Every structure is written in C-alpha cells, then in structure tokens.
Amino acid sequence: MCGISGYYNRKCNFGVQQLEKYVKVLSHRGPDGNGTFYDMNSFGEVGLAHTRLSILDLSESGKQPMRFMHLTIVLNGEIYNFRTIQKELIGMGYNFISSTDTEVVLKSFHAWGLRCVDKFRGMYAFAIYDSIMSQIYLCRDRAGVKPLYWYKGEGLLIFGSELKIFFNTIGFDARVDKNSLKTFLNYGYVTNDSTILKDVFKAQAGAWTIFNLENNEISILEYWSFSELFEMKKYSGSFEDAVEEVELLIQQSCELRMVSDVQIGVFLSSGLDSSLLTAMLQKERTDKVKTFTIGFSDGVDESKDAETIANYLGTDHTTYDCCLKDAMELIPELAKFYDDPIADISCIPTMLVSKLSRREVKVAITGDGGDELFGGYDGFKTTPALFNRMKNIPFKKAIGIGAELVARHFIDHENFYYKKLNGLSKTLLSQNLDQIYQFHILKSGLPEGIINNLLLNPGNIIPHNRRNVKLSETLDDLFILGFEDIFRNLLLVKTDRATMAFSLEGREPLLDNNLMAFAASLPFSYKNNGMLSKRPLREIVYKYLPKKMMDRPKVGFDLPIYQWLKTDLKFLLEDYLGTENTKKDKYFNLEYVQKIKKQFIAGSFRYPSVIWRLMIFEMWHREYFS
C-alpha cells in the first residue's frame, strides 16, 4: 500500500523538485521509503513519484518507481494472485528480480497490454509511462477501493492518490467547484467521478484513463462494470447450493488476502460481515488472529458483543473505548486526511480503530462490501414492499400530478411536507428503474430550499450516473446505485483515508471480483427475502458462531456528535460556523448559516446533518485555502 503521483508538463518547469513535494505530502501513505522518476522527451517532461508502505518483499528490490525496458510504473495496492500470474510469465520467458506484485503488473502490461487487468484479483491504482508510445496509462481497480485523481490542462497532466498533490503543484489554480459543493451539502459527499475541486476528477473505477503526450488527449476505456454483472444469466441453482458457493468464494478470497510479509489483523465489530471473516480466518490458523474493536460508552456500543465473539473464536482481541476527548482531538484533523471531503460521522471511529490496529499490525482485514453485495441495508427490505404497493395504486399518474400541483403551492421549499410531496410526485411519474432512482435520491437528499438558501451562488446537483443496462430484475437497480455511487464515493473513501492516515493497509475479502460476479447473479430473494437480509452470509456464519450470538438488530457506528456540538464541543461549532469564519469563504449566506445554527442549538432544526456538512467544509476550506 502506497501513495502514487506524477505529471506530464509540456512547459518543462516542474522538475524533480515537484516530485519531492508530492513525496512529502503523501508520506503518510508510505512511510517506509520513497522514490522518483524523471524523464525529458521530445514532448515535455514526465515525472513519477512513489511513497512506500512495505508489505511484500521488504528489500530494496521492491522499490518504486520500477522500470522494465520502455515502461515505468508506480503502483498503490495489492494483486493478491500475483504469484500465479508470475508463474505464467516465467513460462513465457520473463525473469524477475523481486518478489513484488508491482513487477508482475509491469511485466503483465508488457506481455498482454490493456488486457492484463483481466488476470488481476486485488485492489490497485497504478500509472505506467510508456516512453516509446508517449502515453501515460492510469488504471483503477474494479470496485474502486484504491483512489486516483487526475487533472488535464493544456500540455499538462497531473495525477495522484489524494487531492493534496494538486494543492502542492506549482502554479495549479485550485478552485472549489460550485456544483460539487452543492452536491456535497446535499449528500455529504461528491457523486460520480467529480471532486470538490473544479476540473479535477476521480479516475473511473474498472477503467483505463489513457493520456497521449503528443496530442494532449485523454481516452477512457472501461474494462469492468459492476452494473453489467446484473445483465448476466441469473443463477438457477438452489439456495443451499448458492450458500456453499458463496462460502467457498469467501474462503478463497480470505486466503488470497492473507499473503503478506508482515502481520495482519481484523477490524471486528459485532456485525455479521466482520464476524464471519474473523471466524473463517481463525479456523484455518493455530496462531491467534489479532482483532480490534472500538467501543462508545456514550453512543451505540458494540464492543461488548464483539468481545464475546472474539472470546468464542479465540482471537487475540483489543478493545478501545472512544470518548469525547478522542473526538475532540480528531475532528480538527479530519480535513487533513479527507482532502476530498466527506461528512460521514463514522469517519471518526474508523480512524480510531485504524490507529489502534496500527500499533500491532500493518495490514487489517475489513468487512466492506457485505451489505452492498447481499442486500444488508434497510432499503433492500423496505423498498421492494413500497414499490409493490405503488404498482397497485389506482390512478397513479393522476395522484402524481396532484402531488406535484400541491407541492408547487409551497413557498417554503425547506418544508418537510414539500420534500415528501415533491418526492412522491417524481417517483409516481417515473417509469420502472427511474422510480427506484428518484425515490432513493429524493429520500437521501435535503429539501432544495435549504441548500439554495445556504449558497450565495447555487450550482446544480450533480446527478448520479445511470448506466443503460437491461436488468432481469428491476430491484437490481438498488444494488447498482448503492454500489456504484454511495459505496464507491463515500464508504470506500472513508476506509481508505482512515487506514492510510496511520499507514495501515486495509484489505477487503468481500470485494473479490469472483464473489462480486456470483453475488450479482443471485436472485434478489436469495439475498434479501423481505424478512432476512444477507441470507447466504447468515447461513455461513451460523456454522461458526451460535445463532443467538449473531441474530441481533443491525447497528452501525454511532457517536453522539450532535449532542456534543451543543455542549462540550460547542466551541468547535462556533469556531467553524462563527460569523467571521463564514464571511471569509464567500460561499454561504451568512445570515442563514447563523439562523440554522441557532435552530440546531435549540433543537428545532430538522436536518442536523447540514450543520456537520457545513463544519466539515469549513474545516477543509481552512486547511487548504487559508
């Protein structure tokens, strides 16, 4: 796990000193070493930089940037099946000087070109510079676990693992994108491949982003799509056979992710996903697996249940109880690591469990993906029932038009009932897949009046990408929307930044591409039958843990952050949303900010998440623009 960055500059005014800036700002992603590559060709200068977190082949032979003939690579991530691919390449006549997956990726690209990614099982973001073809190839893994950002100007390409590199690029004009800001306030993150910075984009997951040095053009070639998995033929076997296949795929995925030259631990909540992974890993080992849990005595506390599970499985378990002091110390640091800001309160405990784990291990297994693949959220249960009722509503179109007409009479677009009526009309008047899309967007977003009143110059909400797919089950759109947007742009970002803040590598067995493909092929009812969610995972975990130990209501990380902001942390609220601070950035209506802040403190503001999102943005803006 590492930090990567680089550039192409036709003006030739960056030099090695620019690469040294990148190394410095990404050092937390790779504190074990660093390296740079610089080349001047007929089109301009090319630079690559790398910061290394040593996991495989701890020797100097694993150092990056790594070169082979006319190709130079910087890679962040892990190719878990690299040894199998290496054997194939050796059979083709390739020699290897290291035991790293980086060298395997580099020579796979030399051997198979763009199709090399078809062989990779893992999480990765890498850049390859081809000095003969005069092209830079950026590539990101299928799920989008590992981050990669890019900017293209006239005769210029800049790319890297985090947005920090753009703020530290000579002459780069960093500006807030007003559409992204509006989207951030609405959802708490920026959707799709946009970022909070104008003209800076996330590299598309499951795709190559190819920059041609000669003509300054970028092309994007998709090699994998989560949504297209649902177009494949549905699984026709029994539920019992499906459970056996899921268990086998998870076992294989877990074992692949245990390949390491350093010690590995597990993030253990008391939830189904992490408990299952811990149980599988411990069963295959005589040594005790190290597990880590964060508790919250002031909030929703799963630590006691996690300890019970750890004791039953016989792991080497560590618990840390998060308190107000921890939050007080960490909140001002959030913007430093979440440089493409997200306003998810669970960033705090995720960073704390990462910090706790890093004291003993360098790699941590996470349970990310179980809910997204197997229908674990409440919406997978409630939405099908809702839409079945909607199908049987008589005069549906007339009711939708009526709701739209009534909504128009609301002058106050902050009104809760306006939001409900507006959402009802758009949902009833939409067709098929659009109904689920509109329902989700309007449910998760804020009343438009709040955002428009907040912003001095309101932009547009960035719509969620809708792929043109033909689904065998309409409700599969729930999986696609949840995975391709919320999971990829919010939850995976949260985990990556939290772990890398403490130079910890997170690994995700439930996001193996073979498992993702099989999960997509399962009928909806095999995953969620309206009464039970994540059905295959439940059946498997019962083999390892007592049913009564696992059959508890689903809970998530929860901190009483809004209560703290009214009391012990009120000084932070006043600091970031005080009159003087919000005057400076010129994005917000100062009077309106003060109005909703007072309502929040009084307990009369219906949407407290707006306050947290405003605070996060102000922290971020102060960190990078002051």
Side-chain angles (χ1 to χ4, degrees):
M1 196 63 64
C2 309
I4 65 171
S5 53
Y7 64 79
Y8 159 71
N9 186 3
R10 189 165 290 178
K11 292 181 180 179
C12 301
N13 63 348
F14 280 175
V16 176
Q17 63 268 29
Q18 180 61 75
L19 300 174
E20 291 171 348
K21 285 177 176 284
Y22 293 162
V23 165
K24 183 177 181 180
V25 297
L26 294 179
S27 60
H28 58 285
R29 297 188 71 94
D32 298 332
N34 59 72
T36 61
F37 165 85
Y38 182 81
D39 181 46
M40 184 80 73
N41 60 35
S42 57
F43 302 110
E45 58 179 350
V46 174
L48 301 176
H50 184 264
T51 61
R52 185 183 184 193
L53 180 64
S54 302
I55 304 295
L56 291 167
D57 191 346
L58 311 185
S59 72
E60 281 297 300
S61 62
K63 188 176 180 179
Q64 298 185 47
M66 189 176 289
R67 299 187 68 182
F68 176 67
M69 300 178 68
H70 58 285
L71 303 174
T72 309
I73 187 173
V74 284
L75 179 142
N76 168 30
E78 303 286 350
I79 309 299
Y80 301 117
N81 63 331
F82 78 97
R83 287 177 179 154
T84 300
I85 303 170
Q86 185 181 51
K87 289 179 181 177
E88 186 176 357
L89 288 166
I90 290 172
M92 296 168 62
Y94 286 88
N95 297 313
F96 288 83
I97 60 173
S98 74
S99 300
T100 66
D101 53 353
T102 304
E103 188 176 3
V104 170
V105 171
L106 183 59
K107 291 176 179 176
S108 293
F109 182 80
H110 183 269
W112 298 300
L114 300 181
R115 299 317 313 174
C116 67
V117 289
D118 296 340
K119 297 179 179 290
F120 299 161
R121 292 174 69 177
M123 54 177 187
Y124 48 85
F126 60 83
I128 294 177
Y129 165 54
D130 186 330
S131 61
I132 291 180
M133 297 298 295
S134 296
Q135 296 197 121
I136 295 174
Y137 300 83
L138 307 180
C139 186
R140 199 164 168 222
D141 65 68
R142 296 169 178 85
V145 178
K146 290 292 96 186
L148 187 58
Y149 300 91
W150 61 269
Y151 165 85
K152 184 181 82 70
E154 184 60 39
L156 180 65
L157 174 72
I158 307 167
F159 60 89
S161 297
E162 298 183 10
L163 290 190
K164 291 178 185 64
I165 68 145
F166 299 98
F167 292 105
N168 286 274
T169 297
I170 300 166
F172 183 79
D173 181 19
R175 291 174 291 161
V176 173
D177 186 290
K178 68 177 183 179
N179 294 332
S180 294
L181 175 56
K182 187 171 184 178
T183 304
F184 170 78
L185 292 174
N186 197 45
Y187 301 121
Y189 64 98
V190 181
T191 62
N192 300 334
D193 294 332
S194 300
T195 73
I196 196 70
L197 293 183
K198 189 171 181 60
D199 299 325
V200 176
F201 301 96
K202 303 161 190 157
Q204 182 178 320
W208 292 93
T209 302
I210 305 170
F211 180 79
N212 188 304
L213 278 61
E214 183 175 2
N215 60 23
N216 203 56
E217 290 184 357
I218 271 191
S219 57
I220 298 175
L221 301 178
E222 188 175 87
Y223 67 85
W224 186 89
S225 165
F226 182 76
S227 58
E228 289 180 358
L229 296 179
F230 290 86
E231 297 186 63
M232 305 300 178
K233 184 179 179 181
K234 285 294 182 184
Y235 179 77
S236 59
S238 68
F239 174 72
E240 292 73 20
D241 288 343
V243 171
E244 287 188 13
E245 182 65 19
V246 170
E247 182 174 14
L248 177 62
L249 289 171
I250 294 176
Q251 285 174 336
Q252 293 173 349
S253 180
C254 282
E255 290 310 309
L256 276 175
R257 282 155 182 79
M258 292 302 284
V259 175
S260 173
D261 292 333
V262 298
Q263 192 159 18
I264 297 177
V266 183
F267 288 171
L268 176 62
S269 68
S270 63
L272 182 65
D273 304 331
S274 65
S275 298
L276 172 58
L277 296 176
T278 302
M280 282 187 161
L281 290 169
Q282 186 60 76
K283 182 183 177 182
E284 299 300 321
R285 281 159 184 80
T286 54
D287 295 340
K288 289 188 174 185
V289 172
K290 288 184 176 292
T291 52
F292 304 90
T293 300
I294 290 291
F296 311 100
S297 55
D298 293 333
V300 175
D301 189 1
E302 292 185 277
S303 62
K304 300 302 179 186
D305 292 323
E307 286 178 6
T308 300
I309 292 168
N311 290 335
Y312 184 89
L313 296 173
T315 70
D316 178 5
H317 189 65
T318 304
T319 299
Y320 180 79
D321 187 44
C322 173
C323 61
L324 173 63
K325 180 176 179 290
D326 296 303
M328 194 180 300
E329 292 175 352
L330 188 57
I331 288 172
E333 297 292 306
L334 289 176
K336 183 184 298 183
F337 297 105
Y338 290 91
D339 52 3
D340 194 13
I342 61 174
D344 188 330
I345 292 169
S346 67
C347 290
I348 296 171
T350 307
M351 290 191 74
L352 289 173
V353 75
S354 299
K355 182 179 181 180
L356 176 68
S357 303
R358 187 60 176 89
R359 295 173 186 171
E360 298 188 46
V361 300
K362 216 169 183 179
V363 176
I365 300 294
T366 77
D368 290 341
D371 290 307
E372 290 74 19
L373 295 184
F374 294 98
Y377 297 116
D378 287 342
F380 286 102
K381 178 181 178 181
T382 58
T383 305
L386 173 66
F387 279 93
N388 283 333
R389 290 197 298 271
M390 284 177 57
K391 286 178 183 178
N392 298 318
I393 293 177
F395 310 112
K396 183 167 62 175
K397 185 174 181 180
I399 293 173
I401 293 172
E404 182 180 35
L405 291 172
V406 174
R408 287 179 184 175
H409 284 81
F410 279 83
I411 298 174
D412 179 11
H413 285 189
E414 295 181 33
N415 189 283
F416 176 74
Y417 296 104
Y418 166 79
K419 181 176 186 289
K420 290 291 185 183
L421 284 167
N422 189 43
L424 177 64
S425 66
K426 289 187 177 181
T427 303
L428 288 174
L429 296 175
S430 300
Q431 298 295 319
N432 300 324
L433 297 181
D434 281 333
Q435 287 187 334
I436 289 178
Y437 174 75
Q438 291 291 348
F439 176 74
H440 168 78
I441 297 306
L442 292 162
K443 180 182 177 183
S444 60
L446 296 168
E448 61 186 68
I450 290 179
I451 301 176
N452 288 335
N453 287 334
L454 264 177
L455 292 167
L456 293 176
N457 297 293
N460 300 311
I461 296 292
I462 301 172
H464 298 261
N465 276 338
R466 307 291 318 292
R467 297 189 186 277
N468 185 22
V469 292
K470 298 177 181 178
L471 301 178
S472 57
E473 291 193 29
T474 301
L475 293 171
D476 283 341
D477 202 45
L478 281 171
F479 291 97
I480 295 169
L481 184 60
F483 189 96
E484 292 192 338
D485 185 66
I486 304 167
F487 186 56
R488 184 174 284 163
N489 293 315
L490 173 63
L491 301 180
L492 288 179
V493 176
K494 175 188 72 175
T495 302
D496 174 80
R497 299 305 191 281
T499 52
M500 295 311 297
F502 301 99
S503 306
L504 178 75
E505 177 176 295
R507 294 185 177 180
E508 41 7 88
L510 297 180
L511 293 180
D512 186 84
N513 47 297
N514 291 348
L515 180 62
M516 288 191 287
F518 186 71
S521 76
L522 295 177
F524 190 93
S525 62
Y526 278 25
K527 292 175 274 194
N528 191 316
N529 64 3
M531 294 178 288
L532 288 175
S533 64
K534 298 193 282 192
R535 293 179 65 204
L537 302 187
R538 289 183 186 278
E539 293 299 319
I540 299 167
V541 81
Y542 294 154
K543 297 179 181 181
Y544 299 90
L545 289 159
K547 190 173 181 180
K548 64 180 181 180
M549 198 178 287
M550 297 309 303
D551 282 354
R552 290 174 288 100
K554 179 180 176 61
V555 293
F557 286 135
D558 185 32
L559 285 173
I561 197 73
Y562 297 126
Q563 184 58 39
W564 287 347
L565 287 174
K566 296 174 186 176
T567 54
D568 299 89
L569 297 183
K570 191 175 180 180
F571 72 96
L572 287 175
L573 182 68
E574 295 299 337
D575 182 15
Y576 290 107
L577 298 187
T579 303
E580 290 305 312
N581 194 58
T582 48
K583 267 183 183 176
K584 293 176 184 177
D585 58 34
K586 300 180 181 179
Y587 299 109
F588 302 117
N589 180 330
L590 178 61
E591 291 182 2
Y592 188 75
V593 171
Q594 300 311 307
K595 172 188 171 183
I596 63 174
K597 186 180 75 173
K598 289 178 182 178
Q599 291 176 346
F600 168 75
I601 293 171
S604 60
F605 188 52
R606 186 184 286 271
Y607 302 97
S609 59
V610 176
I611 299 297
W612 184 246
R613 291 170 192 176
L614 281 169
M615 281 188 62
I616 290 294
F617 178 80
E618 290 294 347
M619 291 178 207
W620 175 84
H621 197 269
R622 184 182 297 184
E623 176 76 22
Y624 295 103
F625 286 91
S626 62

